[in-house]
Amino acid sequence: MPVIPTDLILKNFEKVSSIPRGTKYEAGIRRCLIEWAAERNFKSRTDAAGNLAVYVPAGKGAEDRPVLILQGHMDMVWQKIPESNHDFTRDPIQLIREGDWIRANGTTLGADNGIGIALMMSLAEDGSVGHPPLELLFTVEEELGLVGADNLDPGLVTGRTLINLDFDEEGVFTIGCAGGGSLYITLPLTWEKPSADDSVFELKVGGLKGGHSGDDIHKHRANANKLLARVLDSIQRDAPIRLSNFKGGTARNAIPRDAEAAFTCSKEQADLLREKFSVLLQMVRDEHARTEPNLQMTLTERNERLEQTALQADTEKAIRLLVSLPNGVAAFSAENEGSVETSNNIGIVEMKDGALYVVSNHRSSVLTRLNEIIDRVEAIALLAGAATERTKIFPPWQPDNHSDLLKKCIATYKSVLEEEPKVIVCHGGLECGIISDRCGGLDSISMGATIRYLHSPDERLFVPSLEKVWKVLKALLSA
């Protein structure tokens, strides 16, 4: 009895999901894939960056066809709900099937890009796929900024055609993407011991949708860091405060769902502070009633004392810096109506080591506009007296509308599914352009199964999309 493709793919996805594999924690999944390859007599190689290539011999009769590269990344974004005790460094992802959808138990699912890995494994295992020689390329640290792709040893692969399996919408072929880069901001703070007579408060924002800073940046989703800073700024204008802690977001490329702050206020101003918060709470709820129905914002007075707080002047400076930093869509494309051209995400904010630490992540399909948004954010930070550090900027992956691979993919999709696929340039980051540049130019495309709410604990995989992706891939590999 033949194996049902979906069952095989999900079996491999469950295996992948059982292994912790966050960014910089790919050693376990790499070891698993090397062992998987050895069991099937597939050779494998790892480069200095930690990227892995598995070499799958051609199916019978396809030995003379050109080598094809299938590619995905090993790492996943680690996000969880506040109530979760999940330890990403140790615990397997708990998969939950609900009808046609699979989600995780209070954490990111890791279908980005675990389902791509599972598809590659399944295609190599299924003897009915008459594929050419395959090079399965598994990269590291994609979620940190395409680090593995940028440091890929080009000798790891020989193919001239690449299919990336890291896109999140079945029926869509992606032929280009935005470039990106991050800015690290450090604002020094002066600290003091708070007065024993001051009131101590904790302000929390939570229940937000969050999501992928590329795919979801245009969906009017609240950023917990920006929302918390705005509320604190409104409060401090009437009731001066001194910050002891501000913490929100855990990934530069995920829209923050939760943020919290601890601060002091004089007892004489405490009632005014509470009144101000009540007004702000209603205002925020009204503004986000349609887009963030589960928004939660709480103000709690604490009995314990704080060890130290930033000076009032430094508190004002820190909060106003956060309020001033742009966030969200900066510009829509003039060439592709409705598509985001340029954006940024205030992904991480934390008070640590005597300073306010901020990570702003930027994307644009136009390289000069990417530099412009980074310059803008940096200028604001420098005006506030902060130090800045830029990561490497990755240029956009430029589309090739005349690609032979694209023509083949469109024709195959129409033939197999009798439907018309979409062809797009996406705002999220993909590794195709960088890998192509490293390898001297490849004919590349990206595709994948349908995934929703990436980079958030709401992430889910649409199971029926797997069979459609499988059929198209099998036909492409067999042609």
Side-chain angles (χ1 to χ4, degrees):
M1 184 177 180
V3 176
I4 300 173
T6 300
D7 291 345
L8 177 59
I9 299 165
L10 291 180
K11 179 181 177 182
N12 281 321
F13 180 54
E14 185 174 355
K15 182 175 184 177
V16 170
S17 301
S18 69
I19 303 167
R21 52 186 177 90
T23 305
K24 293 187 179 295
Y25 287 84
E26 298 98 338
I29 185 63
R30 182 170 51 242
R31 185 167 53 248
C32 172
L33 289 169
I34 291 171
E35 293 172 354
W36 165 82
E39 290 171 0
R40 290 158 180 79
N41 294 318
F42 300 154
K43 295 180 180 179
S44 64
R45 281 182 56 204
T46 303
D47 67 10
N51 302 305
L52 170 68
V54 173
Y55 307 99
V56 182
K60 188 175 180 179
E63 294 87 353
D64 294 332
R65 290 172 53 201
V67 174
L68 174 66
I69 305 168
L70 297 179
Q71 187 267 324
H73 61 87
M74 290 185 273
D75 59 326
M76 64 174 282
V77 168
W78 284 348
Q79 291 270 296
K80 63 181 180 179
I81 60 175
E83 301 80 14
S84 174
N85 294 318
H86 186 91
D87 183 347
F88 281 110
T89 66
R90 177 176 53 86
D91 300 334
I93 300 296
Q94 299 176 35
L95 307 182
I96 299 173
R97 177 77 178 259
E98 294 176 336
D100 286 339
W101 295 88
I102 293 177
R103 64 175 177 87
N105 183 19
T107 70
T108 34
L109 176 63
D112 172 19
N113 187 218
I115 201 63
I117 296 174
L119 278 164
M120 292 157 71
M121 295 169 68
S122 302
L123 286 165
E125 289 177 1
D126 190 333
S128 68
V129 181
H131 57 74
L134 297 178
E135 294 174 335
L136 310 182
L137 179 59
F138 306 94
T139 51
V140 297
E141 299 185 39
E142 188 268 355
E143 301 292 4
L144 184 63
L146 315 180
V147 176
D150 190 46
N151 291 279
L152 175 70
D153 178 355
L156 211 56
V157 292
T158 62
R160 310 312 301 161
T161 302
L162 180 145
I163 298 177
N164 167 283
L165 295 174
D166 188 25
F167 197 62
D168 58 0
E169 187 72 36
E170 188 281 320
V172 177
F173 293 116
T174 303
I175 59 172
C177 73
S182 295
L183 185 71
Y184 293 82
I185 300 168
T186 304
L187 178 68
L189 302 172
T190 302
W191 299 81
E192 65 180 355
K193 189 173 182 179
S195 169
D197 294 330
D198 285 348
S199 297
V200 178
F201 290 95
E202 183 177 67
L203 180 59
K204 291 186 176 183
V205 173
L208 303 179
K209 292 179 180 178
H212 191 290
S213 65
D215 293 349
D216 300 316
I217 200 70
H218 62 293
K219 296 179 180 177
H220 307 287
R221 296 183 180 178
N223 180 308
N225 288 329
K226 292 289 292 181
L227 185 55
L228 180 59
R230 178 188 175 192
V231 172
L232 288 171
D233 184 50
S234 294
I235 287 174
Q236 75 173 0
R237 291 173 184 270
D238 295 322
I241 63 175
R242 292 174 174 81
L243 274 176
S244 174
N245 182 51
F246 191 122
K247 184 176 178 60
T250 59
R252 60 174 186 82
N253 54 359
I255 302 172
R257 297 160 48 94
D258 309 281
E260 60 184 48
F263 55 91
T264 63
C265 173
S266 69
K267 288 189 181 297
E268 293 76 18
Q269 298 285 328
D271 286 340
L272 176 61
L273 187 150
R274 295 186 193 93
E275 292 174 9
K276 182 77 173 181
F277 172 75
S278 296
V279 174
L280 292 167
L281 176 60
Q282 189 58 52
M283 177 195 74
V284 167
R285 283 175 173 169
D286 290 344
E287 287 182 356
H288 297 280
R290 293 188 64 184
T291 56
E292 295 285 3
N294 298 317
L295 183 153
Q296 300 169 9
M297 191 166 70
T298 59
L299 178 70
T300 306
E301 187 165 3
R302 293 164 50 177
N303 294 322
E304 66 268 27
R305 313 312 309 166
L306 298 175
E307 292 185 5
Q308 61 177 2
T309 59
L311 297 180
Q312 182 181 328
D314 281 12
T315 293
E316 291 179 358
K317 186 189 298 183
I319 292 172
R320 286 171 182 168
L321 168 60
L322 294 174
V323 170
S324 300
L325 292 174
N327 179 82
V329 177
F332 283 92
S333 173
E335 296 183 0
N336 300 297
E337 187 175 351
S339 298
V340 179
E341 177 207 85
T342 306
S343 72
N344 80 297
N345 176 57
I346 306 300
I348 301 172
V349 177
E350 187 175 5
M351 293 178 75
K352 65 178 184 178
D353 302 327
L356 179 74
Y357 176 76
V358 184
V359 183
S360 181
N361 184 230
H362 316 88
R363 302 175 189 268
S364 183
S365 54
V366 179
L367 183 58
T368 53
R369 292 291 179 86
L370 176 60
N371 284 303
E372 179 188 27
I373 187 68
I374 296 174
D375 288 345
R376 178 184 173 194
V377 173
E378 186 173 50
I380 293 170
L382 293 173
L383 285 170
T388 63
E389 181 182 353
R390 299 186 181 206
T391 65
K392 182 173 181 177
I393 294 176
F394 294 103
W397 169 29
Q398 298 296 341
D400 178 6
N401 292 297
H402 304 291
S403 155
D404 290 337
L405 177 59
L406 173 61
K407 295 174 185 176
K408 182 177 179 180
C409 285
I410 293 173
T412 301
Y413 193 93
K414 289 180 180 179
S415 173
V416 171
L417 298 179
E418 298 181 347
E419 298 174 19
E420 189 82 27
K422 294 181 181 178
V423 179
I424 68 165
V425 174
C426 73
H427 192 60
L430 292 167
E431 297 164 288
C432 304
I434 296 171
I435 294 173
S436 178
D437 288 344
R438 294 287 295 175
C439 297
L442 305 177
D443 195 355
S444 307
I445 205 163
S446 180
M447 60 182 291
T450 298
I451 309 169
R452 294 286 181 264
Y453 314 119
L454 289 81
H455 295 188
S456 85
D458 294 324
E459 181 186 0
R460 56 198 63 224
L461 167 71
F462 188 52
V463 176
S465 69
L466 294 175
E467 185 172 358
K468 298 177 78 173
V469 173
W470 175 270
K471 287 180 178 179
V472 173
L473 278 172
K474 185 174 179 178
L476 280 170
L477 269 59
S478 300

